[in-house]
Amino acid sequence: MAAFALISDLHANLEAVEAVLARIDQLGVREIACLGDVVGYGADPLPVARLVLQRCSWCIQGNHDWGLFHELDDFNPLAREALLYSRHMLQPGFLRFGRRAVWDFLRRLPQRMEAHGFLFCHGSPRDPVMEYVLKSDGFLEPEKMQQIFALVDRPCFVGHTHWPGLHRPDYRFHQATDDNHRFRLEGPCIVNVGSVGQPRDGDPRASFAVVDGDTVEIHRVPYDFRRTQAKILAAGLHPALAERLARGK
Ligand code: ZN
């Protein structure tokens, strides 16, 4: 099996997506797949969704992608406002050429995938779009982890929390850091590939993963977040969505 890259939680951040795709090309990795949340939060949902459509072999649905087509009552006010913006920028209509293919692509995203002998979803194997597998769940929610691991018989890749790392069946979370970012894939485990477009682990660099045989490596890539911040502000989105990109939180 050739190596493949996993990107997730792009959140309409074009600068981060371009930096990550350039790094994946540099690494010589040909196959890319996306674990969802293409849209929301950022200013560039259309160009980011187009890149996913062009470059990824497949993409699964994240909660923000789901939100494009459903009621937004369960989203917090910032997420809701940004999703209305994403919806507006993506919706096909009169004199809005070329949006139909992207819109239909996002509307039809599957919620789970199996490929290369692995499982993939955005959130959790139990509730693939909405549920978070948090790094604290191992010690705070052992029953939840027990139920989730009962559904997993091999490595499962997720996004959603924007925290890269790996849960082993002992429920311990191994956070990906500069010193510890390669993990062996053996037996059931849940690998979080982190977020391209809105990291929350205190590291503002974009995060993605490369799977090669029985190893997964988390990569971090710096990008020009000041440009992204300026676009978020110019789009009239909430300044907090711009500020957090500098902190990676
Ligand atoms: Zn997300």
Side-chain angles (χ1 to χ4, degrees):
M1 177 189 77
F4 63 95
L6 290 168
I7 58 178
S8 189
D9 298 272
L10 289 59
H11 287 299
N13 181 337
L14 182 60
E15 291 70 33
V17 171
E18 286 177 337
V20 162
L21 292 175
R23 176 69 60 86
I24 291 170
D25 290 343
Q26 260 173 23
L27 293 168
V29 176
R30 295 277 183 79
E31 186 185 347
I32 310 173
C34 177
L35 302 185
D37 275 5
V38 175
V39 304
Y41 296 136
D44 283 315
L46 184 61
V48 165
R50 280 200 173 121
L51 277 173
V52 171
L53 185 53
Q54 284 164 12
R55 298 292 311 271
C56 293
S57 319
W58 47 265
C59 176
I60 50 185
Q61 184 183 57
N63 54 315
H64 288 251
D65 311 316
W66 180 92
L68 284 176
F69 307 99
H70 295 87
E71 293 293 328
L72 300 176
D73 304 340
D74 292 339
F75 286 87
N76 71 55
L78 286 194
R80 195 183 312 143
E81 178 197 298
L83 264 174
L84 290 173
Y85 170 87
S86 274
R87 204 184 271 175
H88 175 71
M89 300 304 280
L90 288 160
Q91 222 153 24
F94 184 61
L95 292 181
R96 309 191 85 193
F97 305 109
R99 282 169 167 78
R100 174 57 64 185
V102 169
W103 186 252
D104 288 345
F105 165 69
L106 291 169
R107 193 151 47 92
R108 293 173 188 151
L109 295 177
Q111 298 190 340
R112 301 169 189 273
M113 274 296 286
E114 273 188 62
H116 302 300
F118 301 121
L119 306 170
F120 305 87
C121 60
H122 180 68
S124 113
R126 186 167 67 169
D127 178 352
V129 180
M130 295 297 170
E131 185 173 61
Y132 292 89
V133 181
L134 298 169
K135 67 190 175 80
S136 57
D137 280 346
F139 54 92
L140 292 181
E141 303 269 3
E143 259 173 54
K144 169 183 168 185
M145 291 303 275
Q146 204 176 0
Q147 288 172 17
I148 287 172
F149 264 95
L151 302 168
V152 174
D153 60 356
R154 59 194 123 153
C156 175
F157 293 87
V158 301
H160 200 29
T161 66
H162 302 202
W163 275 83
L166 171 137
H167 281 280
R168 296 265 186 222
D170 63 1
Y171 309 157
R172 284 222 343 251
F173 184 71
H174 304 263
Q175 190 174 327
T177 62
D178 280 349
D179 297 331
N180 185 31
H181 53 98
R182 283 170 71 92
F183 303 99
R184 275 285 297 279
L185 296 168
E186 46 191 6
C189 57
I190 298 172
V191 183
N192 194 307
V193 303
S195 169
V196 171
Q198 197 196 75
R200 293 179 191 162
D201 61 339
D203 181 344
R205 294 175 300 170
S207 177
F208 71 98
V210 173
V211 181
D212 195 352
D214 63 356
T215 303
V216 58
E217 184 167 2
I218 304 291
H219 293 256
R220 302 303 288 251
V221 187
Y223 71 96
D224 185 1
F225 61 76
R226 287 192 180 78
R227 197 175 149 84
T228 315
Q229 290 177 312
K231 285 164 137 184
I232 287 174
L233 297 176
L237 293 165
H238 198 286
L241 296 174
E243 285 156 16
R244 69 184 307 170
L245 297 179
R247 300 193 306 272
K249 274 207 162 150

